[in-house]
Amino acid sequence: MAELAHIIDDLRRRISELERRIRSQSRTGVVTEVNAAEGLARVRLLDGEIPFVTGWIPWEEPAAGANRTHLPPSVGQQVRINSESGDLYDASIQASLNSDAIGRPSGAGDAYVLSSVGPCTITVSDGGGTCRITVGGSSITLTGSAITLASNGSTLVLDAGGIQEAGAKIEMN
């Protein structure tokens, strides 16, 4: 009878451990530190009663082969951490989540927006028909029919008709 009690107690312990690991496979947190050179970040986990900051965890990239990306998370960014085992030793930062603190860079349904490092933004919109690069008060807009350069109130347009400055055609010899 003591053997049966021991087996049941061991099974109860194992089930509790499995439940804990399953709950810990996917967690949400906020980045607290970034080591861009090593591709690692620390994350303050949002679940639980006591805040917990992880050790250094690698973040996943969209591409890491012949095509490569370097998109480090930023401090304050909300992220999802994934761990197959449910322990942080094999975890990776899998995705970023918009939050009240850092919202979406666009509300357009047909726009791809990459907004990064200060005032620089790259936007592909109109189903891929327009690409715009903006830095502060300057921008370059590319479409199938024209290239528009704008900087702090001055505008040049290059299209099939030539170069135009704020609507006035510039004669080229």
Side-chain angles (χ1 to χ4, degrees):
M1 196 56 122
E3 182 65 25
L4 180 60
H6 178 69
I7 292 171
I8 291 173
D9 191 46
D10 184 53
L11 289 173
R12 188 176 304 143
R13 184 190 56 75
R14 288 179 179 198
I15 290 170
S16 293
E17 177 64 10
L18 288 172
E19 288 174 339
R20 183 195 67 78
R21 286 179 178 250
I22 288 170
R23 282 191 311 270
S24 295
Q25 284 182 324
S26 180
R27 300 171 83 176
T28 301
V30 174
V31 174
T32 60
E33 292 181 69
V34 176
N35 180 336
E38 297 292 325
L40 301 170
R42 296 184 75 190
V43 178
R44 181 176 46 85
L45 298 176
L46 301 176
D47 53 356
E49 294 180 19
I50 300 171
F52 175 78
V53 176
T54 68
W56 293 100
I57 299 174
W59 67 81
E60 295 182 11
E61 293 281 354
N67 295 316
R68 296 182 303 273
T69 57
H70 176 70
L71 300 170
S74 57
V75 171
Q77 179 177 342
Q78 185 171 273
V79 295
R80 178 170 294 123
I81 296 174
N82 185 40
S83 165
E84 289 184 27
S85 70
D87 274 334
L88 291 173
Y89 75 87
D90 72 346
S92 64
I93 298 172
Q94 195 171 45
S96 182
L97 305 166
N98 290 297
S99 64
D100 291 340
I102 303 174
R104 300 183 179 285
S106 174
D110 68 343
Y112 169 79
V113 179
L114 175 62
S115 180
S116 179
V117 189
C120 182
T121 302
I122 301 171
T123 304
V124 178
S125 60
D126 303 326
T130 302
C131 177
R132 182 180 179 118
I133 301 169
T134 305
V135 179
S138 299
S139 67
I140 301 171
T141 303
L142 306 164
T143 65
S145 60
I147 300 171
T148 303
L149 305 170
S151 184
N152 301 300
S154 297
T155 303
L156 289 176
V157 178
L158 173 61
D159 60 15
I163 300 173
Q164 301 164 26
E165 179 182 6
K169 186 172 181 176
I170 299 171
E171 295 297 326
M172 301 295 285
N173 292 345

